[in-house]
């Protein structure tokens, strides 16, 4: 394809987009000016879309947080403290919530969206509150628009 605008692939294990999907989206966007969206479908019918919302922020994110890739047989991943934060949140809260939180917290210029029951893609929004003991509570919602 000479000028793709996006791609679609499936995650057969019912998992949401991964850090590898984020870095693949960045790579594709930097190779094709109109490439903007990476869709991920799962066997249970869930459809996600990673969408580039700010190319400058995306490239700053890439410069500040380059991918870690242990070997060529593995997908790229977040590195260092960001990986630890994403991994802990994915294990204790939600994989898609963890990705949405990291993308927003680190100003990635990329938004994770999820198709709702009406067929509309809505941004995954994670809000946080603090308990009196200092622990953080995470709440997963889809943006209203």
């Amino acid at each position: 394809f000479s000028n793709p605008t996006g791609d679609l692939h499936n995650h057969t294990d019912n998992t949401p987009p991964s850090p590898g999907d984020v870095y693949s989206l960045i790579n594709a966007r930097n190779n094709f000016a109109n490439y903007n969206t990476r869709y991920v479908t799962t066997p249970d019918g869930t459809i996600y879309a990673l969408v580039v919302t700010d190319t400058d922020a995306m490239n700053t994110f890439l410069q500040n947080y380059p991918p870690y890739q242990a070997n060529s047989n593995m997908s790229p991943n977040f590195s260092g403290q960001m990986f630890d934060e994403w991994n802990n949140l994915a294990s204790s809260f939600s994989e898609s919530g963890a990705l949405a939180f990291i993308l927003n917290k680190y100003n990635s210029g990329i938004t994770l969206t999820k198709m709702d029951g009406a067929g509309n893609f809505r941004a995954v929004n994670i809000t946080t509150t603090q308990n009196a003991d200092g622990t953080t509570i995470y709440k997963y919602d889809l943006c209203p628009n």
Side-chain angles (χ1 to χ4, degrees):
F1 299 99
S2 62
N3 195 19
T5 58
D7 71 34
L8 169 74
H9 72 279
N10 62 5
H11 283 193
T12 57
D13 53 359
N14 284 317
T15 57
S18 66
D21 290 313
V22 171
Y23 288 110
S24 293
L25 170 64
I26 293 170
N27 185 50
R29 172 60 184 203
N30 284 328
N31 285 307
F32 302 101
N34 291 321
Y35 188 101
N36 215 37
T37 308
R38 170 157 268 212
Y39 296 95
V40 174
T41 65
T42 63
D44 69 5
T46 304
I47 303 174
Y48 297 94
L50 286 164
V51 180
V52 176
T53 54
D54 183 333
T55 304
D56 291 335
M58 178 195 76
N59 284 317
T60 299
F61 173 84
L62 178 62
Q63 182 177 27
N64 292 337
Y65 310 105
Y68 170 77
Q69 192 160 6
N71 63 56
S72 61
N73 295 327
M74 297 181 70
S75 295
N77 212 326
F78 296 133
S79 60
Q81 181 180 346
M82 185 186 293
F83 172 80
D84 293 339
E85 187 175 7
W86 168 78
N87 190 47
N88 290 337
L89 196 51
S91 299
S92 64
F93 173 58
S94 150
E95 287 183 66
S96 60
L99 185 63
F101 181 81
I102 292 294
L103 293 175
N104 185 51
K105 178 179 178 179
Y106 291 93
N107 192 29
S108 68
I110 298 170
T111 300
L112 176 64
T113 67
K114 185 176 181 182
M115 185 183 283
D116 66 16
N120 301 306
F121 283 95
R122 296 171 47 199
V124 175
N125 185 43
I126 306 303
T127 54
T128 61
T129 55
Q130 295 290 97
N131 283 330
D133 65 3
T135 57
T136 303
I137 301 295
Y138 297 89
K139 184 178 179 199
Y140 186 112
D141 287 308
L142 297 180
C143 289
N145 297 333

